[in-house]
Amino acid sequence: MTADSATGPTTYEDLLAAVSVPADPTGTTAREVRDPATGEVIGHAPVQTVDDLERDIAAARTAQPAWAARPDSERCDLLLKAADAVEAAAEPLAALLSREQGKPLNGPNARFEVGACQAWTRTAATTVLEPEVLVDDGETYATLSYKPIGVVGAIGPWNWPMMISVWQLAPSLRMGNTVVLKPSANTTLSVLALVHVLNQVLPEGVLTVIAGDRQVGRLIPTHPGIDKIMFTGSTATGKKIAEGAASTVKRLTLELGGNDAGIVLEDAFGTDTSDPEVVAANDKVAADIFWGAFINTGQTCAALKRLYVPDAIYDVVCESLTRVAGQMPMGVGLEEQNVLGPLQNRNQFDIVDDLVKKAVDSGARVLCGADPDYDAPGFFYPTTLIADIDPDNPLVTEEQFGPALPIIRYSTLDEALHEANRLNVGLGSSVWSSDRATAREVAERVEAGTVWINAHGAVDPRVPFGGIKASGYGLEFGVEGLKHVALPHVING
């Protein structure tokens, strides 16, 4: 289908019909998909095989030379039209995402994610990457440009299935690669729907999606027909992918687990809580901290997962965060008032529940939450704030990936920095202060790929993003992101 004929699905029912397959009681060709908020069956995702993967890789390899041969301006124009197609289908895409992943339509959730798909696609298409003259001294003339790698194997997570797929596929396509995309088994329909919309515009074979099982997932890193792997997920899985990719020396971009620290400085909150203006200002900062931690109900690699607060304002921060948390409704995603939803799957619910129980059993103080309804139909875990917790408690040292935030007290800035840096993760972090210059000085001492000032997780399609330590390697977004899905090509002479 050409861009001119692409109208996009107009309803949720149209979109679901395009990607759901007939039920299969044996589970061989189809897998039941349930809404994590209600337990209701919403459709059936295909279960594809290694033979399907071979077909998709062959199609990608066949399509790649012609795609790479198109002028850069033509590829960019098609990506812009693809973004327009996503915009035209935004509401049904958001509804399907909400029902499969669980995230509410509103807040920084489903509609936000579909909007991010448009923004990242458009930015990938409009970011300028010109050949660079390295040396021109009259004797040597050296230039650096970037060529396509070939076929990119993109393996995505279940927490931001559409958005992170776009983070992988849009720059890869821009640079002349073709893409074989494997979504998480937990959120297959959402990614199938996104690709269905994009492929109304893109040429055949340029972007394919394989809804495979674990066997398919294990084969992608070792397959000789894949030239680069982009993976977002756990550190444990990332290590296995790196091992598999080594056999064919594939290029890798790994965005792995994080346990992001936030450091609050003493000047970030006012202490005169008898003054309504001070309380309002405190609550504004607390709301920003809250969403840094609880975006997507805490199911975000670069969410704030441990908050370090100085003695002088500890009680004020705890009170303000508790007040803000009480104003955030949690419930079924399609109900417009809700901004927090369920955890996407039972396994993640159990992880969060276990970590919070360990914190409570250790004597930590519960400010709110920590009392889930185990008989509820969905995987809802209440918004939970835990104070007066030991820095070595598992809720602090392990990634909870859910709606529970430990608030750790500190006495000196050096102590806070030591605690923030001592774990073997380094995806994102944040510093909170009314003095930006001071905050930047502290940020220089934080070990993380990105340190935000007075925000957390505020990724920007123009600004490179990637982790250090066990949080992965490689960069995404902006000019550097384009370079990481291409091969450097130096001509010297």
Side-chain angles (χ1 to χ4, degrees), residues 287-305:
D288 290 338
I289 292 174
F290 178 89
W291 283 118
F294 291 91
I295 183 173
N296 195 26
T297 315
Q299 300 166 108
T300 300
C301 291
L304 198 168
K305 298 186 175 77

Side-chain angles (χ1 to χ4, degrees), residues 31-43 99-102 186 344 379:
R31 179 180 50 77
E32 197 173 72
V33 177
R34 292 181 178 269
D35 185 333
T38 65
E40 178 185 357
V41 175
I42 63 172
R99 297 210 67 194
E100 184 179 45
Q101 202 282 334
N186 289 326
Q344 201 283 324
F379 304 127

Side-chain angles (χ1 to χ4, degrees), residues 281-337:
N282 286 348
D283 284 2
K284 183 178 184 303
V285 178
D288 290 338
I289 292 174
F290 178 89
W291 283 118
F294 291 91
I295 183 173
N296 195 26
T297 315
Q299 300 166 108
T300 300
C301 291
L304 198 168
K305 298 186 175 77
R306 46 195 175 110
L307 185 68
Y308 295 92
V309 179
D311 291 324
I313 58 170
Y314 189 84
D315 291 339
V316 169
V317 172
C318 288
E319 291 167 6
S320 192
L321 277 171
T322 303
R323 193 160 47 244
V324 167
Q327 300 166 3
M328 303 298 179
M330 175 182 286
V332 175
L334 295 183
E335 297 174 0
E336 296 279 351
Q337 76 274 13

Side-chain angles (χ1 to χ4, degrees), residues 22 27 29 56 128 130 146 165 171-172 219 291 312 326 406 412 436 439 473 485:
T29 61
D56 287 348
V128 176
E130 297 286 357
Y146 289 87
S165 292
S172 297
L219 183 58
W291 283 118
T412 69
R436 187 170 296 272
Y473 47 80
V485 288

